[in-house]
Amino acid sequence: MGKRSRLRKKEHQNNSKPGGRDNRDNGWGAGYADIIKENKLFEAYYQELGLVPEGEFDQFMAAMREPLPATIRITGYKSHAKEILHCLKNKYFKEIQEVEIDGQKIEAPQPLSWYPDELAWHTNMSRKILRKSPLLEKFHQFLVSETESGNISRQEAVSMIPPLLMKIEPHHKILDMCAAPGSKTAQLIEMLHSDMDVPFPEGFVIANDVDNKRCYLLVHQAKRLNSPCIMVVNHDASCIPRLQIDTEDGQKGTLFYDRILCDVPCSGDGTMRKNIDVWKKWTTSNSLHLHGLQIRIAVRGVEQLAVGGRMVYSTCSLNPIEDEAVIATLLEKSEGALELADASVDLPGLKWMPGVTKWKLMTKEGQWYKDWSEVPVNRHTQIRPTMFPPTDTEKLANMKLERCMRILPHHQNTGGFFVAVLVKKAPMPWNRRFPKVYTHVHARERGVGGNSVYSDSVLCSRPPPNKKMKRHGFKEDPFVFLTEDDPVFPPIESFYDLSPDFPKINVLTRTHEGKKRHLYMVSKELRNVMLNNSERMKVINTGVKVWSRNSDGEEFGCAFRLAQEGIYTLFPYIRSRMITVSVEDIKILLTQENPYLSKLEEDAHQQAKKMGMGSIVLKYRPDNSNPDGPQCPIELCGWRGKTSIRAFVPRNERFHYLRMLGVEVFRDKQGQGPREEEKEVKEEVKEGETENGNKDVSPKQELRGENRGDEHLKGDEREGGGENLTST
């Protein structure tokens, strides 16, 4: 047995023990039974700081020891968000209220009072309880399936706050500096797409993370939302490149962001309810080590923020060294270019504590320091002046640090969190003085070199080096934009009768050579960024897939079939190959693999008979005379065969649409098939089936753009046959 295999076996044995990884509840209840939730240093530190209101410290500590409630958020930009909310409230939540376990009634999930439109909910149900009732297990399967489809996100409540405070509009250019795992990024994308009638919002989100592997987790989150306006990049946030763009007057200009989310790495002591191991690992040293990095990232952020723009700084730490100290440093060094915004009225219903103006510092040995002057010289490398409150009382008062917001766990049964909203009033002073290059020499001349907050960040302002940047992690396929006269377009334009305003220059592929397997689209603004910065930035993923090659389709007039993930982007430009279907038609198409054309209702049947073979769009529009049907438009990709028709939709999306139509979809624990409740479903979608056939593609292959499938449809010549999805 090799060393790697032995390690894997040992890890598996460890994880099978009580308290091992398999016994954790991942946010759905208590776990880590072997970890004692005690840390005397933590209690002494926060009791001395006085951040918790008088008389509430015992409640604060008791809440920290309780499991964190599970929270879900309905993705707000999808046109059927209201349908999902309706389904949750009128079906699952009502049924849960009737459930009794061990003689106790289950408390139904409750909406977060401060989240708009009842789109976020929390519950105290643990995994153990979910397993005790088939009804609750059905609710859990619903959550899992809808999460995979991108219609629901499981996200900690306090994590939802920063995007709401950014006041996103569809034209905003947004940078998420430390984005993984991506739940906040998903919120930002949703806000860009608040108007679903606009396929390409003017704005975009650039989501960055320093960890290459976590970038793929970020891609997975973002891809569920099928947006052409998201790009995932892999850089150190404290030195993220300054990007160039073509301006409207044809010149080259610097990209400044309208909104920046700066959710920095932190000690995470606000997450003790979820990350139980923080109890034994917590020490004041964590904050001291992170403080400098947090400032460098925040400085880099405000440098790239447009004048008039907003940057939200947040941590899941309660420690002023990581919170107010960083904000005070930014405000002091900005010389009036930044100011704290008053966000007190932006989230009515949210309980929070104002930022503090006095704090002190404690070492892990328990030694306290109130001021930089008290710090011995031998501690000067670990403890820096920026960790203390400003000594100038007038300057401190003008900072308005009380506008910062600290969320305490016992106030609304959440995690701990800190957030501050900064508005940029003018360019940063060092950018004004040295607009082109602000080098380390300049920093030395001004006496801010060495351990200064500028020292690492200003070096980033130099022009990029000529040599290619070093690439770490997976080697990404290239991103190649097609020209308007590319030979791939005429058959597509003709087959789908694309409108003249279809933006062909926004289409890209992932290969320089050979046949194009898949075509993707990005927004015009992201194209601008990509073409001007290919050597400056490391792009992990961008674009939404709109067409996939289907070699046999050439005989029908087009070698590319429509991809479901890109249908909302493409649909406004498609003027043919559309069949209007009813609720009953959709039920047939989503529950039978290759139904005959005659299975459709008369109207859809007649439309299909007049249409040639090949890729199609199945279009449903709400029927006002049928209030029980879905009250939102639905577009599905499909295939018109010789004698049959099929929907070309991924498994979890099929489940989603069936639920919207009132068809119960509930698999048994092994995922082998449906339960009794779904006898009405004639043929369940096979477990593991993907949009491209009965061939699973590994997540890493899917995320990297490899093996995305040269799957194609083959017409079956047998009478009464249909189309089988096969792989080459």
Side-chain angles (χ1 to χ4, degrees):
M1 186 186 292
K3 184 179 179 183
R4 189 174 296 174
S5 299
R6 287 197 300 273
L7 287 171
R8 210 163 27 233
K9 185 179 179 183
K10 188 176 180 182
E11 183 184 358
H12 176 73
Q13 289 169 344
N14 289 339
N15 290 339
S16 300
K17 295 174 185 175
R21 188 181 303 159
D22 291 344
N23 288 312
R24 299 181 186 180
D25 274 342
N26 298 324
W28 284 90
Y32 299 85
D34 55 335
I35 292 179
I36 299 168
K37 297 175 183 178
E38 293 286 344
N39 189 308
K40 297 298 182 188
L41 193 68
F42 175 86
E43 290 190 48
Y45 182 68
Y46 281 109
Q47 208 155 14
E48 181 68 23
L49 284 182
L51 300 179
V52 179
E54 195 173 343
E56 295 183 18
F57 196 79
D58 288 345
Q59 292 172 258
F60 166 74
M61 289 306 301
M64 288 295 253
R65 293 187 177 99
E66 286 296 312
L68 189 68
T71 44
I72 59 171
R73 182 174 55 78
I74 300 168
T75 52
Y77 88 82
K78 298 242 177 175
S79 57
H80 42 257
K82 288 181 181 176
E83 293 291 322
I84 300 170
L85 180 60
H86 178 80
C87 182
L88 273 173
K89 288 172 70 174
N90 295 293
K91 178 173 174 55
Y92 292 99
F93 293 168
K94 273 189 176 178
E95 290 177 350
I96 287 170
Q97 287 175 331
E98 308 301 319
V99 175
E100 283 192 14
I101 292 179
D102 300 333
Q104 282 192 321
K105 268 203 164 187
I106 295 297
E107 186 181 334
Q110 298 296 316
L112 295 179
S113 61
W114 45 267
Y115 201 95
D117 303 323
E118 287 193 333
L119 291 177
W121 296 71
H122 66 123
T123 173
N124 279 315
M125 286 186 288
S126 68
R127 282 185 186 273
K128 194 178 289 185
I129 290 175
L130 286 170
R131 292 191 190 105
K132 284 190 173 183
S133 160
L135 205 58
L136 295 181
E137 191 183 320
K138 194 189 318 185
F139 170 56
H140 186 240
Q141 282 197 15
F142 167 81
L143 292 179
V144 171
S145 178
E146 293 295 327
T147 298
E148 290 178 16
S149 301
N151 302 306
I152 282 177
S153 286
R154 288 166 62 177
Q155 179 181 356
E156 191 175 338
V158 289
S159 168
M160 303 174 192
I161 295 170
L164 293 175
L165 295 177
M166 291 174 75
K167 298 187 175 178
I168 303 287
E169 295 180 23
H171 63 275
H172 283 155
K173 297 169 179 59
I174 306 162
L175 173 64
D176 189 350
M177 299 188 77
C178 309
S183 53
K184 297 182 191 71
T185 309
Q187 272 180 281
L188 301 176
I189 298 169
E190 292 165 30
M191 292 169 180
L192 273 186
H193 288 273
S194 56
D195 185 351
M196 280 296 287
D197 292 330
V198 180
F200 290 108
E202 288 181 33
F204 57 75
V205 177
I206 294 180
N208 173 70
D209 203 85
V210 67
D211 188 309
N212 183 269
K213 290 178 182 175
R214 280 167 64 86
C215 281
Y216 291 93
L217 188 61
L218 186 54
V219 169
H220 176 69
Q221 280 273 27
K223 283 181 85 70
R224 298 180 313 148
L225 295 168
N226 301 329
S227 169
C229 304
I230 169 73
M231 179 162 65
V232 176
V233 299
N234 180 204
H235 291 280
D236 176 353
S238 67
C239 211
I240 192 165
R242 190 185 294 276
L243 302 182
Q244 300 294 310
I245 52 171
D246 293 326
T247 59
E248 290 181 0
D249 59 5
Q251 303 297 309
K252 298 288 182 186
T254 300
L255 171 62
F256 289 100
Y257 300 94
D258 301 297
R259 298 289 186 268
I260 294 180
L261 176 55
C262 186
D263 186 52
V264 294
C266 66
S267 61
D269 59 19
T271 70
M272 281 179 163
R273 301 181 67 179
K274 181 177 66 173
N275 300 321
I276 316 296
D277 52 348
V278 176
W279 281 99
K280 63 177 182 178
K281 292 179 180 178
W282 188 91
T283 166
T284 53
S285 297
N286 300 344
S287 295
L288 303 183
H289 293 151
L290 287 163
H291 174 82
L293 174 64
Q294 290 163 340
I295 290 178
R296 291 195 300 274
I297 292 174
V299 166
R300 192 60 182 153
V302 294
E303 283 179 344
Q304 301 209 19
L305 186 64
V307 173
R310 290 165 77 94
M311 183 175 94
V312 172
Y313 175 89
S314 62
T315 75
C316 46
S317 167
L318 300 173
N319 199 329
I321 309 300
E322 304 177 65
D323 299 340
E324 285 92 344
V326 174
I327 296 299
T329 302
L330 281 176
L331 292 171
E332 185 173 4
K333 303 300 181 186
S334 78
E335 299 177 10
L338 298 173
E339 72 173 38
L340 271 171
D342 182 357
S344 59
V345 297
D346 290 344
L347 293 177
L350 178 68
K351 293 180 183 176
W352 51 277
M353 297 299 296
V356 295
T357 55
K358 292 181 181 178
W359 63 88
K360 48 188 178 177
L361 187 148
M362 185 177 76
T363 66
K364 64 180 178 181
E365 295 80 25
Q367 176 71 44
W368 287 94
Y369 300 110
K370 294 180 181 177
D371 187 82
W372 169 248
S373 62
E374 298 178 359
V375 181
V377 175
N378 64 344
R379 294 267 192 185
H380 280 191
T381 52
Q382 294 91 29
I383 300 173
R384 304 299 303 151
T386 53
M387 297 177 181
F388 296 93
T391 52
D392 186 325
T393 53
E394 185 180 349
K395 189 181 287 185
L396 182 60
N398 289 335
M399 287 181 178
K400 299 185 173 68
L401 289 178
E402 66 277 2
R403 289 181 171 178
C404 299
M405 306 165 78
R406 180 174 278 103
I407 290 90
L408 299 178
H410 65 293
H411 282 167
Q412 286 181 305
N413 198 11
T414 64
F417 206 70
F418 174 88
V419 62
V421 182
L422 292 157
V423 176
K424 189 171 181 178
K425 297 293 186 181
M428 302 309 288
W430 56 93
N431 292 134
R432 290 200 300 268
R433 291 173 191 136
F434 308 103
K436 291 187 178 176
V437 180
Y438 185 84
T439 65
H440 202 53
V441 175
H442 293 137
R444 289 281 185 202
E445 287 171 355
R446 295 185 59 222
V448 292
N451 288 315
S452 150
V453 296
Y454 297 124
S455 56
D456 285 7
S457 181
V458 295
L459 292 173
C460 300
S461 298
R462 293 176 178 174
N466 290 326
K467 63 181 181 179
K468 288 188 177 181
M469 70 174 76
K470 289 183 179 177
R471 306 275 178 174
H472 300 284
F474 299 111
K475 186 179 186 303
E476 288 301 319
D477 294 330
F479 295 86
V480 185
F481 282 96
L482 305 186
T483 58
E484 286 190 289
D485 58 355
D486 191 289
V488 79
F489 283 126
I492 292 176
E493 288 179 288
S494 172
F495 191 74
Y496 297 103
D497 189 20
L498 296 184
S499 60
D501 60 340
F502 175 72
K504 290 186 280 187
I505 59 171
N506 294 0
V507 178
L508 62 90
T509 185
R510 299 296 302 271
T511 178
H512 282 293
E513 299 169 359
K515 284 188 174 182
K516 301 170 181 69
R517 295 167 60 188
H518 303 283
L519 302 180
Y520 305 85
M521 288 193 78
V522 296
S523 64
K524 180 180 72 173
E525 289 73 16
L526 265 190
R527 177 182 183 272
N528 186 350
V529 172
M530 294 182 70
L531 289 178
N532 281 289
N533 300 281
S534 59
E535 295 302 319
R536 267 188 198 88
M537 61 183 185
K538 182 183 175 186
V539 179
I540 299 295
N541 197 279
T542 192
V544 61
K545 182 162 63 175
V546 288
W547 282 292
S548 287
R549 179 172 288 279
N550 163 30
S551 301
D552 291 330
E554 289 184 30
E555 62 184 278
F556 312 130
C558 183
F560 286 90
R561 64 166 178 83
L562 297 164
Q564 180 64 29
E565 53 260 62
I567 193 60
Y568 285 103
T569 299
L570 271 187
F571 183 75
Y573 303 104
I574 297 174
R575 299 187 297 185
S576 72
R577 306 295 301 171
M578 276 187 281
I579 297 176
T580 302
V581 291
S582 67
V583 168
E584 292 306 314
D585 292 330
I586 297 179
K587 286 181 183 179
I588 293 289
L589 289 161
L590 294 181
T591 58
Q592 298 186 29
E593 193 65 23
N594 288 305
Y596 291 114
L597 296 177
S598 57
K599 291 282 186 76
L600 298 177
E601 292 189 341
E602 183 60 24
D603 185 28
H605 184 200
Q606 291 303 320
Q607 294 175 65
K609 281 171 65 177
K610 294 174 185 175
M611 195 170 289
M613 292 173 68
S615 189
I616 55 173
V617 180
L618 301 159
K619 180 179 74 171
Y620 166 81
R621 289 296 175 264
D623 181 1
N624 295 329
S625 63
N626 178 19
D628 294 331
Q631 296 303 302
C632 62
I634 296 173
E635 286 96 30
L636 305 176
C637 292
W639 186 268
R640 158 70 160 95
K642 185 177 180 183
T643 58
S644 65
I645 192 167
R646 72 171 294 170
F648 216 41
V649 181
R651 174 175 53 100
N652 280 308
E653 283 199 47
R654 289 191 181 214
F655 291 167
H656 162 69
Y657 288 119
L658 285 170
R659 288 191 190 98
M660 284 176 61
L661 300 173
V663 178
E664 192 65 71
V665 182
F666 183 35
R667 289 165 291 136
D668 64 20
K669 286 185 180 178
Q670 286 73 39
Q672 296 301 313
R675 291 223 176 147
E676 292 300 311
E677 289 94 326
E678 48 186 54
K679 282 185 175 177
E680 62 189 287
V681 178
K682 297 184 179 71
E683 182 179 344
E684 179 55 272
V685 185
K686 296 186 180 99
E687 176 70 25
E689 184 184 34
T690 66
E691 175 200 343
N692 295 325
N694 296 332
K695 175 182 177 183
D696 281 327
V697 179
S698 74
K700 192 163 286 183
Q701 289 171 324
E702 178 63 26
L703 297 181
R704 292 174 58 194
E706 296 176 5
N707 194 20
R708 291 177 185 263
D710 281 332
E711 293 83 5
H712 57 271
L713 290 164
K714 284 204 168 192
D716 191 336
E717 295 302 319
R718 291 171 298 168
E719 183 64 33
E723 290 65 49
N724 295 312
L725 205 56
T726 60
S727 330
T728 56

